[in-house]
Amino acid sequence: MRHNVFEITRLRMSGQIEEMLRYFAPDVIVRYHATKEGLFLPGVLHGREAFRENIRLTDVDYEPLGSEVLDILVDGDMTAVRWRNSWRHRNSGRTATMDMAHFLSWRNGMVVEVFEYLDYHGWNPFSDHELIERDEPRP
């Protein structure tokens, strides 16, 4: 499962969304726990199609640049991943880095529920210096 979680993050950031979604059950529930000040409002998505559409809408405005997996924990049919990723706003060219945590529930080898938490510490006008270079660990 550790490999699967790492692969999900890699596929997401490389734009291979269809391949990434193969890890998710058709009826997956995605729970976003963001802040009102952040880019994404808290909410719940039901199903792989809604999840796909949310990713598509995100990628309209933001280009994924790179990521680094910091921790992966596995406990039975539950996994947690803490990772850092960088994005570029397609209109302004601004880049930012944010930390994310995902808690995944698995059944029969597929993710059936996701809890996503974002830390917007890097999403500010001065965040360009925090850019993660693609496929390179942060110094």
Side-chain angles (χ1 to χ4, degrees), residues 1 6 12 21 37 40 43-44 49 51 55 58 67 70-71 76 101-102 115 118 124 127 134 139:
M1 284 207 315
F6 183 83
R12 170 61 184 109
L21 288 172
E37 294 80 22
F40 309 105
V44 178
E49 295 306 314
F51 190 26
I55 292 169
T58 299
S67 65
L70 303 171
D71 297 296
H102 288 88
F115 289 83
L118 305 178
N124 64 58
S127 61
R134 181 173 292 280

Side-chain angles (χ1 to χ4, degrees), residues 101-114:
H102 288 88
F103 299 87
L104 311 170
S105 299
W106 297 75
R107 185 175 55 237
N108 299 324
M110 300 188 89
V111 177
V112 294
E113 188 168 23
V114 178

